[in-house]
Amino acid sequence: MRTALVLPPRTTVVNIRFDEYDQYIGRAGHGHDGYFGNKYRGSTLGGGVAGRNEAIARFKHEFMCRIAQDIEFSQRVVSLRGKRLGCFCKEPLEKVGRVDIPCHGDVYVEFLDGLKCEVCAGDAYYVAEGESTVFLCAECAA
């Protein structure tokens, strides 16, 4: 009989001023190192919604390249799965209505909650070390 694997809860992004969080993902400052922060600022890329979207797009491109090349970063990112990620720019829905204003944290959520095993396409849990990053489920990693 096989043991069922339990998926972690969904990863979420919350505003650090309004909600509790497990891991800070904003820029450096206020006692945080900013390891998971977005170095691109929407205000320097035209401002407003367009500037924010451009900053997130640039972050996502760099994020995906780094995931593929940096095993330590990949492992640290995977450790965020199922956690409440805190950022200063994620606006709470009750403040802005039903519109979800994007944040670079959404890139983490999309990536983490979409991880699939590269062997069987099951839900991935592990990052295998080697020349590149490989995502595996518990059965394929064994």
Side-chain angles (χ1 to χ4, degrees), residues 83-98:
K83 294 186 177 179
R84 292 169 55 94
L85 311 178
C87 188
F88 63 90
C89 73
K90 186 65 173 179
E91 296 294 342
L93 289 178
E94 57 272 6
K95 181 178 175 189
V96 295
R98 297 202 176 269

Side-chain angles (χ1 to χ4, degrees), residues 121-142:
D123 290 309
Y125 292 90
Y126 301 103
V127 179
E129 292 185 7
E131 292 182 20
S132 63
T133 305
V134 180
F135 298 100
L136 302 172
C137 67
E139 290 180 21
C140 293

Side-chain angles (χ1 to χ4, degrees), residues 20-53:
E20 292 182 21
Y21 56 93
D22 301 311
Q23 176 65 53
Y24 177 74
I25 61 163
R27 294 188 192 98
H30 305 288
H32 298 287
D33 67 5
Y35 182 82
F36 296 110
N38 184 358
K39 69 181 182 181
Y40 303 104
R41 296 178 182 270
S43 60
T44 62
L45 298 170
V49 174
R52 180 186 284 246
N53 290 340

Side-chain angles (χ1 to χ4, degrees), residues 50-97:
R52 180 186 284 246
N53 290 340
E54 179 63 22
I56 294 168
R58 289 182 185 193
F59 173 81
K60 184 174 185 176
H61 174 76
E62 185 174 283
F63 172 89
M64 295 308 292
C65 291
R66 194 167 175 199
I67 282 289
Q69 299 170 358
D70 185 339
I71 291 173
E72 179 186 346
F73 179 71
S74 297
Q75 290 173 331
R76 288 184 71 178
V77 168
V78 170
S79 75
L80 301 176
R81 191 170 189 191
K83 294 186 177 179
R84 292 169 55 94
L85 311 178
C87 188
F88 63 90
C89 73
K90 186 65 173 179
E91 296 294 342
L93 289 178
E94 57 272 6
K95 181 178 175 189
V96 295

